């Protein structure tokens, strides 16, 4: 049936709990979010991009699977600030990877730390480092033979954000 309106679909959604243990740790030191998350939400938020294109570095295939840093990942993430230091720690699973019950498939781990120099001034420099350890079950068929395998992969990378006030420069590099 024809409809003049575009079909809606949910890209990502999560629930967040903020300022956990703030009486002991201080505000913004410990936060939690659970659901479908964007890993690069803090280091390179898509809503700040001038054009609606994906991060080309984060859209590169990793290992023998279809994992991308820019994808939505299901899991839980702790994050917070301690003065000029920002941290993220996450545990993720991919229930829609089509390869459930592949032996050894474990939740993925993500960690990122970033330090901001000249914080709260008109010019800021933020240096970050991140890592992702993942497993991805792959199910397929080749020459009439069904197979299941486990692709174990890791990423290590760094990011840089330089804010000049009205102008900003961002860069990211990683190796797998």
């Amino acid at each position: 049936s024809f409809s003049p309106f575009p079909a809606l679909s949910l890209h990502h959604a999560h629930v967040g709990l903020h300022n956990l243990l703030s009486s002991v740790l201080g505000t913004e030191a410990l936060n939690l979010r659970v659901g479908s998350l964007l890993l690069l939400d803090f280091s390179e938020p898509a809503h700040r991009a001038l054009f609606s294109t994906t991060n080309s570095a984060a859209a590169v295939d990793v290992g023998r699977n279809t994992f991308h840093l820019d994808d939505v990942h299901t899991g839980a993430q702790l994050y917070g600030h301690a003065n000029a230091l920002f941290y993220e720690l996450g545990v993720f699973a991919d229930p829609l990877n089509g390869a459930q019950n592949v032996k050894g498939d474990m939740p993925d781990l993500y960690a990122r730390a970033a330090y901001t120099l000249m914080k709260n001034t008109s010019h800021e420099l933020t240096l970050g480092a991140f890592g992702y350890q993942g497993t991805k079950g792959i199910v397929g068929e080749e020459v009439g033979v069904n197979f299941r395998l486990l692709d174990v992969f890791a990423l290590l990378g760094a990011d840089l954000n330089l804010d000049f006030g009205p102008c900003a420069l961002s860069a990211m590099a990683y190796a797998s």
Side-chain angles (χ1 to χ4, degrees), residues 125-150:
L125 170 64
T126 302
L127 303 170
F130 63 90
Y132 192 99
Q133 172 67 49
T135 59
K136 180 89 169 182
I138 301 174
V139 174
E141 180 186 346
E142 197 68 41
V143 194
V145 176
N146 293 327
F147 65 88
R148 289 174 172 240
L149 60 94
L150 187 65

Short mmCIF file of all heavy atoms in Angstrom, two decimals, residues 125-150:
data_model
loop_
_atom_site.label_atom_id
_atom_site.label_comp_id
_atom_site.label_asym_id
_atom_site.label_seq_id
_atom_site.Cartn_x
_atom_site.Cartn_y
_atom_site.Cartn_z
N LEU A 125 42.38 21.17 23.73
CA LEU A 125 43.01 20.05 23.04
C LEU A 125 42.68 18.79 23.83
O LEU A 125 43.00 18.71 25.01
CB LEU A 125 44.53 20.24 22.94
CG LEU A 125 45.32 19.03 22.44
CD1 LEU A 125 44.93 18.68 21.01
CD2 LEU A 125 46.82 19.30 22.55
N THR A 126 42.03 17.84 23.19
CA THR A 126 41.69 16.57 23.84
C THR A 126 42.40 15.44 23.12
O THR A 126 42.27 15.29 21.91
CB THR A 126 40.17 16.32 23.83
OG1 THR A 126 39.53 17.42 24.48
CG2 THR A 126 39.82 15.04 24.55
N LEU A 127 43.16 14.65 23.88
CA LEU A 127 43.86 13.48 23.37
C LEU A 127 43.21 12.25 23.97
O LEU A 127 43.03 12.17 25.19
CB LEU A 127 45.33 13.54 23.74
CG LEU A 127 46.09 14.78 23.28
CD1 LEU A 127 47.47 14.82 23.92
CD2 LEU A 127 46.19 14.80 21.77
N GLY A 128 42.87 11.28 23.14
CA GLY A 128 42.21 10.08 23.63
C GLY A 128 42.86 8.81 23.10
O GLY A 128 43.52 8.81 22.05
N ALA A 129 42.66 7.73 23.82
CA ALA A 129 43.10 6.40 23.40
C ALA A 129 41.96 5.43 23.68
O ALA A 129 41.25 5.58 24.68
CB ALA A 129 44.36 5.98 24.16
N PHE A 130 41.77 4.47 22.79
CA PHE A 130 40.68 3.52 22.97
C PHE A 130 41.08 2.14 22.49
O PHE A 130 42.03 1.96 21.75
CB PHE A 130 39.42 4.00 22.24
CG PHE A 130 39.55 4.11 20.75
CD1 PHE A 130 39.26 3.04 19.93
CD2 PHE A 130 39.97 5.29 20.17
CE1 PHE A 130 39.37 3.14 18.55
CE2 PHE A 130 40.09 5.41 18.80
CZ PHE A 130 39.79 4.33 17.98
N GLY A 131 40.33 1.17 22.96
CA GLY A 131 40.53 -0.21 22.55
C GLY A 131 39.22 -0.95 22.53
O GLY A 131 38.29 -0.63 23.30
N TYR A 132 39.11 -1.93 21.66
CA TYR A 132 37.92 -2.76 21.55
C TYR A 132 38.38 -4.19 21.35
O TYR A 132 39.19 -4.47 20.46
CB TYR A 132 37.06 -2.32 20.37
CG TYR A 132 35.68 -2.92 20.35
CD1 TYR A 132 34.60 -2.21 20.82
CD2 TYR A 132 35.46 -4.21 19.89
CE1 TYR A 132 33.32 -2.76 20.82
CE2 TYR A 132 34.20 -4.77 19.88
CZ TYR A 132 33.13 -4.03 20.34
OH TYR A 132 31.87 -4.59 20.35
N GLN A 133 37.91 -5.10 22.20
CA GLN A 133 38.19 -6.54 22.07
C GLN A 133 36.86 -7.21 21.80
O GLN A 133 35.93 -7.06 22.58
CB GLN A 133 38.81 -7.09 23.37
CG GLN A 133 38.94 -8.60 23.39
CD GLN A 133 39.95 -9.13 22.39
OE1 GLN A 133 41.06 -8.63 22.32
NE2 GLN A 133 39.56 -10.12 21.62
N GLY A 134 36.77 -7.90 20.67
CA GLY A 134 35.48 -8.48 20.32
C GLY A 134 35.57 -9.87 19.74
O GLY A 134 36.63 -10.32 19.31
N THR A 135 34.44 -10.54 19.77
CA THR A 135 34.27 -11.81 19.10
C THR A 135 32.99 -11.72 18.28
O THR A 135 32.03 -11.09 18.70
CB THR A 135 34.16 -12.99 20.09
OG1 THR A 135 33.04 -12.77 20.94
CG2 THR A 135 35.41 -13.15 20.91
N LYS A 136 33.01 -12.33 17.13
CA LYS A 136 31.83 -12.29 16.28
C LYS A 136 31.65 -13.68 15.68
O LYS A 136 32.55 -14.20 15.02
CB LYS A 136 32.03 -11.26 15.18
CG LYS A 136 30.91 -11.12 14.22
CD LYS A 136 29.94 -10.11 14.71
CE LYS A 136 28.94 -9.75 13.61
NZ LYS A 136 28.01 -8.75 14.00
N GLY A 137 30.51 -14.28 15.96
CA GLY A 137 30.18 -15.57 15.36
C GLY A 137 29.78 -15.37 13.92
O GLY A 137 29.02 -14.48 13.59
N ILE A 138 30.33 -16.20 13.05
CA ILE A 138 30.01 -16.13 11.63
C ILE A 138 29.45 -17.47 11.20
O ILE A 138 30.05 -18.51 11.44
CB ILE A 138 31.26 -15.79 10.79
CG1 ILE A 138 31.84 -14.44 11.24
CG2 ILE A 138 30.93 -15.78 9.31
CD1 ILE A 138 33.15 -14.09 10.58
N VAL A 139 28.27 -17.45 10.59
CA VAL A 139 27.63 -18.64 10.07
C VAL A 139 27.47 -18.45 8.57
O VAL A 139 27.11 -17.36 8.11
CB VAL A 139 26.24 -18.86 10.72
CG1 VAL A 139 25.52 -20.01 10.07
CG2 VAL A 139 26.38 -19.07 12.20
N GLY A 140 27.78 -19.47 7.81
CA GLY A 140 27.64 -19.33 6.37
C GLY A 140 27.64 -20.67 5.66
O GLY A 140 27.63 -21.73 6.28
N GLU A 141 27.67 -20.58 4.36
CA GLU A 141 27.72 -21.77 3.52
C GLU A 141 28.69 -21.51 2.39
O GLU A 141 28.68 -20.45 1.77
CB GLU A 141 26.33 -22.08 2.95
CG GLU A 141 26.32 -23.30 2.07
CD GLU A 141 24.98 -23.53 1.40
OE1 GLU A 141 23.99 -22.92 1.82
OE2 GLU A 141 24.96 -24.31 0.45
N GLU A 142 29.55 -22.46 2.16
CA GLU A 142 30.54 -22.35 1.09
C GLU A 142 30.60 -23.69 0.37
O GLU A 142 30.83 -24.73 1.00
CB GLU A 142 31.90 -21.99 1.70
CG GLU A 142 32.92 -21.46 0.73
CD GLU A 142 32.56 -20.09 0.18
OE1 GLU A 142 32.07 -19.22 0.93
OE2 GLU A 142 32.77 -19.90 -1.02
N VAL A 143 30.38 -23.69 -0.90
CA VAL A 143 30.41 -24.88 -1.74
C VAL A 143 29.53 -25.99 -1.14
O VAL A 143 29.92 -27.15 -1.04
CB VAL A 143 31.86 -25.39 -1.95
CG1 VAL A 143 31.92 -26.42 -3.08
CG2 VAL A 143 32.81 -24.26 -2.24
N GLY A 144 28.34 -25.61 -0.69
CA GLY A 144 27.39 -26.57 -0.15
C GLY A 144 27.68 -27.06 1.26
O GLY A 144 27.01 -27.97 1.77
N VAL A 145 28.69 -26.49 1.91
CA VAL A 145 29.05 -26.91 3.27
C VAL A 145 28.70 -25.78 4.23
O VAL A 145 29.15 -24.65 4.06
CB VAL A 145 30.56 -27.24 3.38
CG1 VAL A 145 30.94 -27.57 4.81
CG2 VAL A 145 30.93 -28.35 2.43
N ASN A 146 27.88 -26.08 5.24
CA ASN A 146 27.55 -25.09 6.27
C ASN A 146 28.71 -24.99 7.26
O ASN A 146 29.32 -26.00 7.61
CB ASN A 146 26.29 -25.49 7.02
CG ASN A 146 25.07 -25.43 6.12
OD1 ASN A 146 25.00 -24.61 5.23
ND2 ASN A 146 24.12 -26.31 6.35
N PHE A 147 29.00 -23.78 7.71
CA PHE A 147 30.09 -23.62 8.68
C PHE A 147 29.69 -22.60 9.74
O PHE A 147 28.84 -21.75 9.53
CB PHE A 147 31.41 -23.22 8.01
CG PHE A 147 31.37 -21.87 7.35
CD1 PHE A 147 31.67 -20.72 8.07
CD2 PHE A 147 31.05 -21.74 6.01
CE1 PHE A 147 31.64 -19.47 7.48
CE2 PHE A 147 31.02 -20.49 5.40
CZ PHE A 147 31.32 -19.36 6.13
N ARG A 148 30.33 -22.71 10.90
CA ARG A 148 30.25 -21.76 11.99
C ARG A 148 31.66 -21.52 12.48
O ARG A 148 32.39 -22.46 12.74
CB ARG A 148 29.43 -22.31 13.16
CG ARG A 148 27.97 -22.42 12.89
CD ARG A 148 27.27 -23.12 14.06
NE ARG A 148 25.86 -23.04 13.85
CZ ARG A 148 25.01 -22.44 14.67
NH1 ARG A 148 25.43 -21.92 15.80
NH2 ARG A 148 23.75 -22.39 14.39
N LEU A 149 32.03 -20.27 12.59
CA LEU A 149 33.36 -19.96 13.12
C LEU A 149 33.29 -18.73 13.99
O LEU A 149 32.32 -17.98 13.96
CB LEU A 149 34.39 -19.80 11.99
CG LEU A 149 34.18 -18.71 10.95
CD1 LEU A 149 34.93 -17.46 11.36
CD2 LEU A 149 34.67 -19.20 9.62
N LEU A 150 34.31 -18.56 14.77
CA LEU A 150 34.38 -17.45 15.71
C LEU A 150 35.53 -16.54 15.29
O LEU A 150 36.67 -16.97 15.23
CB LEU A 150 34.59 -17.96 17.13
CG LEU A 150 34.53 -16.93 18.23
CD1 LEU A 150 33.12 -16.35 18.32
CD2 LEU A 150 34.91 -17.56 19.55
#
